[in-house]
Amino acid sequence: MRILVISDIHGNLTALETVLAHAGEYDVAWCLGDLVGYGPDPNECVERVQALKNVVCILGNHDAAVNSQMDTSTFNPEARISIHWTQAHLTPANIEFLAHLPNRSFQDEVTLVHGSPRSPTYEYLLDTYLATINFSYFESPYCFVGHTHLPVQYLLKNGRGYADLLVPRENEIVEIQSRSILNPGSVGQPRDRDARAAYALFDPDKKTWEYRRVAYDIAAVQARMRAANLPDRHIQRIAAGW
Ligand code: ZN
């Protein structure tokens, strides 16, 4: 069984299509939220994700913001501009789809959330301190998260009271241990100084995780962002990977 794990697409259809072509055949797709926000193709991304094979999709904070489930004052001014642009361009049917996404799902032995098990839509798991606390907020062997746009694994070893952080190596198939929190990185706006799209493949039978990167046509996305008058900062950052 091959499960495609993607997150933080952020309206970047070119990155999403490149990831799907690169990933090849899969049985199930898990999307950990933030389908929209920042990028120029919100409708296309929502529709593409809906059409994925056996897809389970979780609500991200940007998805919540565009369907008015959260107050946009918590976003910085440029992110707010892009949220309002996205709201104005999404079709009513796509806003409706985002409005009905769950903020958490349990699949086999995995808890799926966007941010963290403690605060599924909003909390950023950025360090081992926060990861350690969050292990008490889910019971399954594994939890998959997105939101930080940083590919990482947090491991809670037996008898140890704190989590270790591990940055996965590209294309390495690793057996994941119970209990782990894993982040596949971001498809549409990576922030680890590597501009290539990130995703992962999970095999629930063998309990393996393969983290992958793939280059995509960033200039084409930037041209569409410019044509849409989206904030310059977001146009620059997809090329720099921050
Ligand atoms: Zn995001």
Side-chain angles (χ1 to χ4, degrees):
M1 171 103 123
R2 207 162 190 252
I3 300 181
L4 173 66
V5 188
I6 54 175
S7 192
D8 298 277
I9 299 157
H10 284 295
N12 184 338
L13 183 69
T14 310
L16 177 60
E17 291 290 9
T18 306
V19 160
L20 295 174
H22 191 248
E25 285 296 307
Y26 61 89
D27 303 294
V28 173
W30 290 346
C31 175
L32 305 174
D34 276 2
L35 285 69
V36 301
Y38 302 124
D41 321 303
N43 286 306
E44 294 82 351
C45 288
V46 171
E47 286 154 20
R48 193 71 187 87
V49 167
Q50 273 182 279
L52 292 175
K53 196 156 124 193
N54 299 318
V55 67
V56 176
C57 189
I58 302 297
L59 178 82
N61 58 315
H62 284 255
D63 310 320
V66 297
N67 70 64
S68 308
Q69 285 180 39
M70 76 177 278
D71 179 6
T72 53
S73 65
T74 58
F75 286 87
N76 67 51
E78 283 148 328
R80 222 159 36 228
I81 290 170
S82 107
I83 301 263
H84 292 148
W85 181 91
T86 304
Q87 273 174 328
H89 286 80
L90 276 171
T91 66
N94 287 338
I95 291 191
E96 189 70 9
F97 172 78
L98 295 175
H100 289 95
L101 292 177
N103 64 6
R104 174 194 307 264
S105 176
F106 301 99
Q107 300 291 325
D108 301 320
E109 296 177 284
V110 188
T111 299
L112 306 176
V113 291
H114 179 63
S116 77
R118 176 168 67 170
S119 171
T121 314
Y122 306 111
E123 186 177 28
Y124 290 89
L125 284 187
L126 281 165
D127 55 48
T128 52
Y129 172 73
L130 287 173
T132 302
I133 293 170
N134 267 279
F135 273 100
S136 337
Y137 287 83
F138 69 103
E139 284 170 4
S140 55
Y142 314 106
C143 177
F144 294 175
V145 302
H147 198 31
T148 63
H149 300 205
L150 301 169
V152 73
Q153 302 182 12
Y154 293 104
L155 317 170
L156 195 64
K157 292 195 178 134
N158 280 342
R160 292 254 300 271
Y162 57 93
D164 279 338
L165 179 154
L166 207 129
V167 177
R169 256 185 280 174
E170 197 179 328
N171 300 325
E172 193 180 30
I173 300 174
V174 290
E175 211 171 307
I176 56 171
Q177 68 158 59
S178 173
R179 305 179 72 223
S180 309
I181 299 175
L182 297 109
N183 188 325
S186 166
V187 170
Q189 195 202 72
R191 293 183 189 161
D192 59 344
R193 305 269 164 192
D194 181 342
R196 296 175 302 160
Y199 70 100
L201 293 166
F202 171 59
D203 185 327
D205 307 314
K206 295 182 187 149
K207 307 284 185 285
T208 58
W209 177 264
E210 182 182 359
Y211 151 69
R212 291 180 161 192
R213 297 305 281 255
V214 60
Y216 70 94
D217 188 353
I218 293 170
V221 183
Q222 290 180 310
R224 292 200 298 281
M225 291 173 81
R226 259 181 231 112
N229 267 325
L230 284 163
D232 196 50
R233 181 180 145 83
H234 301 153
I235 297 173
Q236 302 307 324
R237 73 188 297 184
I238 58 166
W242 54 265

